[in-house]
Amino acid sequence: MVEESPGGDQAPGAGELQYRLQQQSVLAKFGIEALRARDLQPMLQRAVELCAEGMRSRYCKFLEHCADENVLLVRNGVGWREGVVGGTEMRADLGSPAGYAYHTGEAVISNHLENETRFRTPSFMADHHIRRAINVLVEASGRRFGVLEVDSPDEGKFEASDLAFMQGFANLIGVAIERQEAERRLNHALEHQELLTREASHRVKNSLAMVSGLLNLQMQADPDERITRLLGDAQARITAIAQAHDRLWRGEQVGIVALDDLIGGIVEQLREQAPLHTIACDVARIHISADSAIPIGLLVTELVTNAIKYAYDDGGEIHVAIVDRAQELHLTVRDNGHGLPEGFDLKSASRQSLGMRMIASLSRQLRGELVYEDAVPGTCALLVMPDPRSG
């Protein structure tokens, strides 16, 4: 005995309970896919395919409302002849089941289109010998987006339970559209925020470069060697911060700096200020946030500046290195000069020197421990800090 399915085409051995359970299974399946979907059109096509499967019908379509022309376009569909999907429009008025559902928001069940007095049957549906149709509105973010419709050329009857299944599908489509629109708005906002951040970093870098230039002019105009030295130290610190901001707006990822590029740029600036010294640089290729990059850059500036000032009488070699170890970064600044003064104590030196106070403060900011070691000959400043990438 062949039993007709309650809502769709004939299906052998399919009872009412089995049919409804299958619909629930199809609805759950589409719910998972819809919430994962990133692109609208593939999601809508999958919706009509699964909706047709759940209704056991050969024909299903999604009609997108085109406001400019006030028509419903067959945007997606399954079962239709070539040319219908993407190429067929129907008037979005109250004279068709889909138009009525769109304008009123009420679902429409028409089980006898050939005898229907409320609505006209679109010609392309008549060409497919469609006898029954069920239409539900698809809304997203309070906006009427279109209509989901299942059609059948076979005798039978769409029922209230079929309408509940269709409405569930329409609701899931609406939620998926809302999520995709929200993601697009968020991505646009993030892109705009990234642009603003890059622009701000670029402007900060230019402003700091202007300040550095003014300090340079002051250094040339002031005959006092002590003032000149202090202004030079300030200029080096400003340059280190400017280097970080320069990398920020140029980098591929906003707010992230390549440490080797940053330290390499700082060292190049220090070489220009100390032509008698040879400053080598060997820094791990890692990417860290500006919050960590700027204090590391300042710390390197202070340590190298100290080596330039105190390690040699005329000039010599200075080596900067940052090594990437397990969960740690090891920063060293080494020279082959005079070595540490007798009785050197970091805490005492910090009380007497602005540069040493900055070194101690930056070390604490980086949650590191700084030690000075006799390198024989010379001095090695070693800072062991937690890897900033590990949070």
Side-chain angles (χ1 to χ4, degrees):
M1 176 179 178
V2 176
E3 197 176 334
E4 187 176 63
S5 67
D9 303 340
Q10 288 188 339
E16 172 75 12
L17 179 60
Q18 181 183 0
Y19 175 58
R20 299 306 173 194
L21 289 175
Q22 181 190 5
Q23 285 187 335
Q24 294 303 313
S25 176
V26 170
L27 194 61
K29 181 179 181 181
F30 176 67
I32 294 173
E33 294 188 21
L35 295 177
R36 290 176 177 173
R38 291 291 178 267
D39 298 317
L40 181 60
Q41 289 306 314
M43 184 271 292
L44 291 174
Q45 184 59 34
R46 188 62 175 151
V48 297
E49 293 169 357
L50 288 175
C51 192
E53 177 184 330
M55 293 289 287
R56 294 178 179 163
S57 178
R58 288 194 293 271
Y59 299 100
C60 183
K61 59 182 178 286
F62 176 76
L63 297 156
E64 180 182 353
H65 184 249
C66 302
D68 293 343
E69 302 176 9
N70 194 30
V71 296
L72 291 168
L73 170 67
V74 182
R75 175 64 70 184
N76 303 86
V78 60
W80 305 99
R81 294 171 189 165
E82 185 177 354
V84 171
V85 176
T88 300
E89 297 176 347
M90 50 193 294
R91 296 200 305 272
D93 57 21
L94 298 175
S96 69
Y100 186 88
Y102 178 80
H103 282 289
T104 66
E106 298 178 10
V108 177
I109 297 178
S110 183
N111 285 315
H112 304 285
L113 286 174
E114 69 276 14
N115 300 321
E116 185 63 73
T117 59
R118 297 174 299 168
F119 310 112
R120 65 179 180 272
T121 301
S123 59
F124 78 95
M125 292 174 61
D127 292 342
H128 287 76
H129 308 291
I130 300 300
R131 305 174 74 173
R132 295 182 288 135
I134 181 169
N135 295 265
V136 291
L137 176 67
V138 174
E139 291 184 288
S141 302
R143 177 172 61 92
R144 294 178 179 181
F145 192 77
V147 175
L148 180 66
E149 179 175 335
V150 167
D151 306 293
S152 175
D154 302 300
E155 292 185 359
K157 186 178 180 181
F158 289 128
E159 299 178 348
S161 296
D162 297 309
L163 181 58
F165 169 75
M166 292 281 293
Q167 192 61 63
F169 246 89
N171 292 343
L172 286 173
I173 292 173
V175 169
I177 292 172
E178 289 176 357
R179 181 184 57 78
Q180 290 183 16
E181 290 179 343
E183 286 183 355
R184 281 193 293 272
R185 290 194 298 270
L186 178 59
N187 288 334
H188 178 74
L190 290 174
E191 289 172 1
H192 183 63
Q193 184 63 38
E194 179 175 333
L195 179 62
L196 292 177
T197 301
R198 291 183 187 278
E199 177 65 18
S201 292
H202 181 52
R203 293 192 178 193
V204 169
K205 177 255 182 183
N206 287 343
S207 298
L208 291 173
M210 183 181 298
V211 173
S212 178
L214 292 173
L215 289 176
N216 189 54
L217 290 175
Q218 186 64 45
M219 288 165 58
Q220 296 176 13
D222 200 313
D224 190 322
E225 291 187 3
R226 178 177 175 275
I227 297 299
T228 300
R229 185 175 66 254
L230 292 174
L231 291 175
D233 291 346
Q235 184 185 38
R237 292 159 187 157
I238 290 171
T239 299
I241 300 173
Q243 286 278 350
H245 281 280
D246 187 43
R247 266 64 182 176
L248 277 176
W249 79 269
R250 294 179 186 275
E252 293 182 2
Q253 187 176 358
V254 67
I256 301 298
V257 178
L259 191 58
D260 57 335
D261 287 344
L262 172 63
I263 302 304
I266 291 172
V267 167
E268 183 61 33
Q269 292 286 337
L270 292 170
R271 287 194 192 107
E272 294 178 6
Q273 297 173 17
L276 297 179
H277 292 77
T278 300
I279 309 176
C281 185
D282 183 13
V283 176
R285 179 70 176 180
I286 63 173
H287 293 80
I288 60 176
S289 71
D291 290 341
S292 299
I294 290 176
I296 290 175
L298 285 170
L299 184 59
V300 168
T301 300
E302 294 299 323
L303 293 173
V304 173
T305 299
N306 277 356
I308 291 171
K309 288 181 181 178
Y310 305 117
Y312 303 98
D313 294 328
D314 298 319
E317 295 182 0
I318 301 169
H319 188 267
V320 178
I322 299 179
V323 179
D324 183 9
R325 301 255 173 105
Q327 302 297 315
E328 291 180 342
L329 292 184
H330 289 209
L331 185 160
T332 58
V333 175
R334 181 187 300 269
D335 63 71
N336 299 322
H338 300 309
L340 292 170
E342 186 175 352
F344 175 81
D345 177 70
L346 181 58
K347 290 184 179 179
S348 298
S350 298
R351 290 192 292 268
Q352 301 173 12
S353 165
L354 174 62
M356 294 303 297
R357 282 200 298 275
M358 288 190 63
I359 288 172
S361 175
L362 291 166
S363 299
R364 288 193 299 270
Q365 184 177 340
L366 292 166
R367 296 181 296 147
E369 182 178 353
L370 179 70
V371 294
Y372 278 90
E373 302 173 344
D374 284 315
V376 189
T379 303
C380 177
L382 169 64
L383 177 74
V384 178
M385 73 187 93
D387 190 333
R389 296 168 296 179
S390 62

